Structures are given as structure tokens and as C-alpha cells.
Amino acid sequence: TLKTRDETRTLDQLRADIALDLLLGGTGGTSERTEVFLYLDLDTYLGLNNDPAELAGHGHLPATLARHIATGPNTVLRRIITDPLSGQVLDLGRERYRPTAGLGEFVRVRDRECRRPGCHRVAQACDLDHSLPWQHGGHTNADDLVALCRRDHRLKDEPGWTYQLESDGTLTITTPTGQTYDSTPPPLHQPRPRSIEEEPPPF
């Protein structure tokens, strides 16, 4: 019926569009929420540059189309902080409880083993847990996540235990009796003295 003289879409394209319209409730039924992931940097979103964005499962989109999608009336924006050197995700804010694979890998490489002092279970076999519980305001980022074996993860959730993670990776554990223990991830290598050539200029 839709394949009129002025219609430029092929029959297969029309069938696909009709199927999509039916799936999304286009016939007047209950509409469904659709979730797509559009990756664009802040400068592109603000119109300061025209770098292409990426639509997950599709590929690159022109900046103008990405901005049109990002400013839609039902669009939900999520701030994601990335490492400027590697591009890996560092912070998913409060919208996501579970870390991405890249963030989980970063925390496990940093911690190397369970963070409770005296426990040497390798981090790859540990859970990733929020030092400040997510339900109490914790964030899904490298400054809040630690590797804990399953036993110590369960112990952390017992009443009276508190965990505080500093930006340098030092974890302070306070027991129900008030005793504190510090845990710092071991360095991957010994600190190397900087040569004169590596010293930054004085200005």
C-alpha cells in the first residue's frame, strides 16, 4: 500500500520500517523505550568542533546528526570520564552500578590482589566492590572501586566495617572495634629517578 509512485524506498526497506514501527508501538499501542548508545565528546556536543560521533552497532555519525539525537526531548545524557591518554573509561558516575570491562581491568591491574591486608588472592579472581557503598553515594570509578575476594567482600558488608579509598589507591579499613589498617597497591616497578633531560622547564 505504501509503495506509491512518489515513494523512493524499496519494498524491503518499507517492510523493515513497518516492522520497526510495529515493534515501537507506532500503531497507537503502548510505546516502548528504546536504548541506543551514542558516543560524542563534550566539545562536539557543545558545537566547538565537528568531530564525528559513534553510534553503537552502527558506526560513525556526522556531528550535526549526533547533536540532533543528543538534544532530543526524551534523550538522557550520561557523563562518562575517560583517561585522556588511553581513552579508557574512568568514571561512570552514579548511573551505572557495574563497571565496564576497561574500568574493571584498570582496577584489577592497579590492585593486583585482594586489598585486605594479609590476603593475597589475585585480583583477577576477586570481586570489584565500591569502597563507599553505591547505595550510600559511591561512584563507579577508579577512585571508589577495589578488588576484594568473595570472603572479604562479604566481611566488608557486615555492620561496623568502613572502607575509605584515597586517590593514590591507599585503602583504609576500620574494624567494628575501631582499629584501622592501611592497604596500598604495590608498585609495578621501583620508582626511577628522573634524568636531567626529563626535568620539566622552569617556566
Side-chain angles (χ1 to χ4, degrees):
T1 304
L2 292 174
K3 189 60 178 168
T4 62
R5 184 180 302 170
D6 298 329
E7 178 58 65
T8 59
R9 289 174 292 177
T10 67
L11 197 56
D12 285 340
Q13 290 171 333
L14 285 168
R15 286 177 178 143
D17 289 344
I18 291 168
L20 184 61
D21 189 49
L22 289 170
L23 287 170
L24 297 180
T27 58
T30 304
S31 60
E32 298 293 331
R33 181 178 176 212
T34 303
E35 185 177 68
V36 297
F37 291 92
L38 177 68
Y39 302 95
L40 72 161
D41 62 37
L42 181 61
D43 287 347
T44 301
Y45 174 71
L46 295 175
L48 300 176
N49 66 37
N50 284 312
D51 291 344
E54 182 182 349
L55 183 65
H58 173 76
H60 288 84
L61 292 180
T64 52
L65 179 57
R67 282 193 287 268
H68 176 72
I69 296 171
T71 56
N74 297 316
T75 298
V76 176
L77 294 178
R78 180 180 297 148
R79 183 196 69 172
I80 297 175
I81 297 175
T82 56
D83 184 329
L85 296 178
S86 67
Q88 290 294 319
V89 174
L90 293 182
D91 190 344
L92 298 176
R94 292 273 307 143
E95 299 297 322
R96 290 279 300 275
Y97 176 75
R98 295 191 181 281
T100 62
L103 179 56
E105 183 181 33
F106 173 85
V107 172
R108 286 189 169 98
V109 169
R110 179 199 68 192
D111 289 355
R112 296 174 66 182
E113 57 187 25
C114 176
R115 293 300 304 277
R116 182 183 63 79
C119 182
H120 301 290
R121 189 169 182 85
V122 295
Q124 285 74 19
C126 290
D127 298 335
L128 295 180
D129 193 21
H130 295 77
S131 56
L132 175 63
W134 191 79
Q135 63 270 27
H136 296 150
H139 282 242
T140 304
N141 62 26
D143 291 336
D144 195 18
L145 292 172
V146 291
L148 292 172
C149 70
R150 183 59 54 89
R151 179 174 151 235
D152 289 316
H153 185 171
R154 289 178 177 155
L155 178 66
K156 172 186 170 291
D157 294 333
E158 291 294 319
W161 292 82
T162 60
Y163 287 54
Q164 183 175 351
L165 186 65
E166 302 296 334
S167 59
D168 65 353
T170 299
L171 178 67
T172 301
I173 301 173
T174 304
T175 70
T177 59
Q179 295 176 304
T180 60
Y181 299 91
D182 287 339
S183 163
T184 303
L188 294 177
H189 58 79
Q190 293 300 318
R192 298 185 180 109
R194 296 169 67 178
S195 65
I196 296 175
E197 291 79 9
E198 292 176 334
E199 291 290 340
F203 51 85

